[in-house]
Structures are given as C-alpha cells and as structure tokens.
Amino acid sequence: MIGRLLAEGAKAGVRVVLVVQRAEAALMGAFERAQCSVKVSFRSDNPAAVELLHPGAARDVAEAQVSALPGVGLLSVPGAPLARFRALHVGSYADYVKKIRSASAVRAPGAA
C-alpha cells in the first residue's frame, strides 16, 4: 500500500513523508526506498544501514556516519551528490517547546 502511494501519489498531488527509526530491508523494501526521492538520515548503528538508504555512498562516508555526532546527517537529493550536513541545535526539550510556542503565538493585528 505504501509502495503504491509513493509511486502514484505525486500524480494526484499527494506527498508522503516517511519517518522511520531504521529503514531496514525487512521494514521498507527496495521499491519503496527507490520511490523516496529525498532522503535524510542521521547517525546509524552500522555502515550497511547507511548504504541501504543512500545507495552509492562511499564506504568511508558510511563508516563515518556510524560515529557521527548528534545532528550530523546525510542528504540525498536527485541530481546532486550526497551531502553531509549539520542540523541546528535546539537544546533541551523544554527549549524546543518554548521555541515552538513562541513561533506559533498568534499576535493581534497592529501588534509589534
């Protein structure tokens, strides 16, 4: 069902965001992974998991991702080389909640 939604959903304007802790072969088949055009991954427990999600990733890149610091990830985008990035540090969960509440506060018209 997910495979069909991934393969045909874009024609109907449906976008799918899959968030998985481990994109292992038993959970997500090769067809489904192939249909995901943009892939973001963070630290993995083994190089094979990185290579599974980012086909063609160099072995040294996959091995480095196993010991990557929190917030360091890999980004696969069609037509671009595999990129390593550093996500913004949000802080504690309390800091995160405070930032979300602040950003989503509705302000009265004319308020500064």
Side-chain angles (χ1 to χ4, degrees):
M1 172 106 168
I2 295 292
R4 186 168 183 194
L5 185 61
L6 288 167
E8 299 180 20
K11 292 183 259 183
V14 174
R15 300 294 182 252
V16 178
V17 176
L18 294 174
V19 179
V20 296
Q21 187 168 357
R22 294 181 184 180
E24 297 171 347
L27 299 174
M28 192 175 183
F31 176 78
E32 288 83 3
R33 280 192 309 279
Q35 294 297 318
C36 297
S37 57
V38 177
K39 299 172 190 167
V40 177
S41 66
F42 291 94
R43 184 171 45 198
S44 293
D45 54 355
N46 63 66
V50 175
E51 293 166 354
L52 186 67
L53 193 57
H54 302 281
R59 184 71 180 175
D60 61 328
V61 171
E63 288 173 356
Q65 201 59 21
V66 171
S67 60
L69 295 173
V72 175
L74 295 175
L75 173 67
S76 295
V77 179
L82 181 65
R84 194 166 187 172
F85 69 93
R86 175 103 173 127
L88 295 174
H89 178 68
V90 178
S92 69
Y93 183 72
D95 293 337
Y96 166 76
V97 170
K98 184 178 176 182
K99 289 178 184 186
I100 294 298
R101 286 186 178 150
S102 173
S104 63
V106 178
R107 298 189 178 163

